[in-house]
Amino acid sequence: MSLLNILRYPDPRLHKVAKPVTVFDDRLKKLAADMAETMYAAPGVGLAATQVDVHEQLIVIDVSDTHDQLTVFINPEIVWASDEKQVYEEGCLSVPGIYDGVERPKQVRVRALDVEGKPFELDCDGLLAVCIQHEMDHLRGKVFVEYLSPLKRNRIKTKLLKEERENSRDKKKAAAVR
């Protein structure tokens, strides 16, 4: 297994819409395993393939404290969502250090395939419901900051671009010293 590079907002590749998975092979299993390793190392509770520049409908999630309840969702779809909403403070591995409240359905039922291509349904609430909806947004090319006001979104974009420039400058300085 290997760690994958996580795209950072506002990278335009985060806005690509993922295609359904049609082939269930060793490549797909390796991708899911690499995504899980990347998610745990980040550390995070969910990761969509879009975030690692693979534009296929694949998500890995583990909201457990013990990191031993990994679920892989392939071609996920929400087949039911509660009318009751909740606001949850969300963060994202593609938008490091930024957290804000997003309103979503409190409960959802998701239908998906596992890495073998077997279908399953799962009723989700709490953090799991938030996470599945957040990651499915990635598959549609949407990042959670797009739920925020244009002013907040622009401030976040400016902050992350500034951090990226500073990190790049620091790396160049370090390379020049060698």
Side-chain angles (χ1 to χ4, degrees):
M1 294 192 296
S2 58
L3 293 179
L4 304 171
N5 183 46
I6 298 172
L7 299 177
R8 284 179 54 132
Y9 180 80
D11 191 309
R13 294 172 290 180
L14 288 168
H15 298 293
K16 287 177 98 173
V17 176
K19 304 242 183 294
V21 171
T22 57
V23 178
F24 294 80
D25 58 6
D26 289 340
R27 180 199 66 84
L28 185 70
K29 290 176 186 160
K30 181 177 182 341
L31 175 60
D34 289 348
M35 285 175 57
E37 183 178 4
T38 302
M39 174 190 71
Y40 289 131
V45 294
L47 188 66
T50 301
Q51 293 176 270
V52 295
D53 202 20
V54 176
H55 303 285
E56 298 176 36
Q57 293 180 13
L58 169 60
I59 294 169
V60 294
I61 294 176
D62 186 348
V63 296
S64 71
D65 291 333
T66 51
H67 304 297
D68 61 355
Q69 295 176 25
L70 180 70
T71 305
V72 177
F73 299 85
I74 298 171
N75 302 338
E77 59 178 312
I78 292 176
V79 295
W80 174 83
S82 66
D83 291 333
E84 187 178 358
K85 308 277 190 212
Q86 69 178 355
V87 175
Y88 207 94
E89 186 90 351
E90 294 188 26
C92 181
L93 296 176
S94 292
V95 192
I98 304 297
Y99 301 88
D100 212 319
V102 176
E103 183 179 68
R104 300 183 185 273
K106 189 172 183 177
Q107 298 174 302
V108 295
R109 179 175 301 125
V110 63
R111 180 182 298 144
L113 303 171
D114 66 14
V115 290
E116 303 294 334
K118 295 184 183 98
F120 68 94
E121 280 191 15
L122 189 61
D123 289 324
C124 309
D125 60 10
L127 179 57
L128 182 57
V130 171
C131 194
I132 191 70
Q133 293 173 82
H134 175 110
E135 300 306 335
M136 286 179 68
D137 276 350
H138 280 299
L139 299 181
R140 293 188 288 268
K142 188 169 186 173
V143 180
F144 93 97
V145 296
E146 292 170 44
Y147 288 99
L148 308 178
S149 72
L151 178 63
K152 277 187 178 181
R153 199 167 45 246
N154 285 333
R155 283 183 178 162
I156 291 166
K157 188 183 292 187
T158 300
K159 178 183 182 204
L160 292 176
L161 288 171
K162 181 181 177 193
E163 285 176 7
E164 196 173 301
R165 280 192 305 274
E166 289 170 357
N167 288 341
S168 178
R169 193 169 33 245
D170 291 345
K171 286 179 185 174
K172 285 180 184 173
K173 283 181 186 176
V177 172
R178 285 186 216 150

